[in-house]
Amino acid sequence: MPSFDIVSKVDTQTLDNAVNTVKKEITNRYDFKDSQVTIELNKKDLVLTIEVESDMKLEQVKDVLISRSMRQGLDGSIYDFSKEPFQSGKVLKQQVTIRNGIKQDDAKKIVKTIKDSGLKVQPAIMDDIIRVTAKKIDDLQSVIQLCKEGNFGLPLQYVNMKN
C-alpha cells in the first residue's frame, strides 16, 4: 500500500550557515555600525538568542534572518517569534525557538483536515511524524496538495514516499 510521511524537520547545518551569513551581513551593514548586535544559535536546544540596542534594530535583524534563511532553502516559518523581547541592561534580548518536529496539537489539526477532506486515506500520528497511507498514489498527491494549501504555520516536508 502506498504511503508517505509528513514531517517538519530543520537541517541544523543549513540553519547554522544561515545564522553565520546573517552575522556577516550585520557586521558589514552601515546602519549597524558601532552598535552592539549579538546573534547566538544553541544547536542542542535549537534556540536563537538575539541581542540588540533597540526595537527598530531587532526588527531589521529579524528581516535579515528570514530573508537569508529563505535564500539558504529554509522556510521562514521555522522561527517562533512569539516570545516577547525583554530589556537586559542596555540591550534588548529575544529568545527565538526553532520549530523542529510536529507538536501533538498541530498533528491533530493536520489529521483532522485530511480526514475532513473526504479523501480515501488513513493518516496516523507517530510521535512527531504523520504517516498517510492510501490505495492510490493519486490520493496521496491530493493530500500533499491539501497540506500545502492549508496554512498550519509549520514548514512541512513530505518524505519517504513508498509505492
Side-chain angles (χ1 to χ4, degrees):
M1 236 167 141
S3 68
F4 74 95
D5 296 336
I6 301 174
V7 297
S8 180
K9 299 277 185 208
V10 176
D11 182 19
T12 53
Q13 186 60 48
T14 308
L15 178 65
D16 189 39
N17 290 343
V19 170
N20 289 334
T21 306
V22 169
K23 286 180 188 178
K24 196 178 290 184
E25 181 174 330
I26 295 293
T27 56
N28 291 334
R29 281 181 52 164
Y30 182 75
D31 53 344
F32 284 99
K33 189 174 186 174
D34 297 331
S35 62
Q36 179 189 357
V37 177
T38 309
I39 303 170
E40 293 295 323
L41 174 65
N42 183 344
K43 292 182 189 177
K44 183 181 174 204
D45 299 331
L46 286 177
V47 174
L48 191 66
T49 306
I50 303 172
E51 295 180 16
V52 292
E53 294 173 345
S54 66
D55 240 355
M56 183 182 76
K57 290 191 178 179
L58 180 64
E59 292 303 315
Q60 290 174 334
V61 169
K62 286 180 187 178
D63 289 342
V64 172
L65 181 67
I66 291 172
S67 67
R68 292 297 171 199
S69 297
M70 292 179 91
R71 284 186 186 168
Q72 295 274 345
L74 296 171
D75 195 319
S77 62
I78 63 170
Y79 301 108
D80 185 12
F81 293 111
S82 62
K83 287 187 181 176
E84 289 294 317
F86 58 93
Q87 197 74 29
S88 176
K90 292 183 179 180
V91 296
L92 194 66
K93 286 186 178 182
Q94 183 168 18
Q95 300 277 330
V96 180
T97 55
I98 310 298
R99 294 182 178 127
N100 193 24
I102 302 174
K103 293 188 176 116
Q104 198 69 26
D105 53 335
D106 292 331
K108 287 179 182 177
K109 286 180 196 173
I110 295 169
V111 167
K112 184 178 180 340
T113 304
I114 293 171
K115 286 185 176 180
D116 290 347
S117 70
L119 295 169
K120 294 187 178 184
V121 295
Q122 293 82 35
I125 300 172
M126 306 165 90
D127 291 332
D128 61 348
I129 296 173
I130 301 171
R131 175 151 298 152
V132 183
T133 57
K135 291 184 179 177
K136 296 185 223 165
I137 288 188
D138 293 342
D139 291 339
L140 294 179
Q141 290 173 342
S142 299
V143 169
I144 292 173
Q145 195 61 39
L146 177 75
C147 289
K148 284 182 180 178
E149 291 169 359
N151 188 9
F152 299 110
L154 291 170
L156 297 176
Q157 293 94 29
Y158 312 98
V159 297
N160 207 13
M161 179 74 91
K162 295 180 182 171
N163 196 350

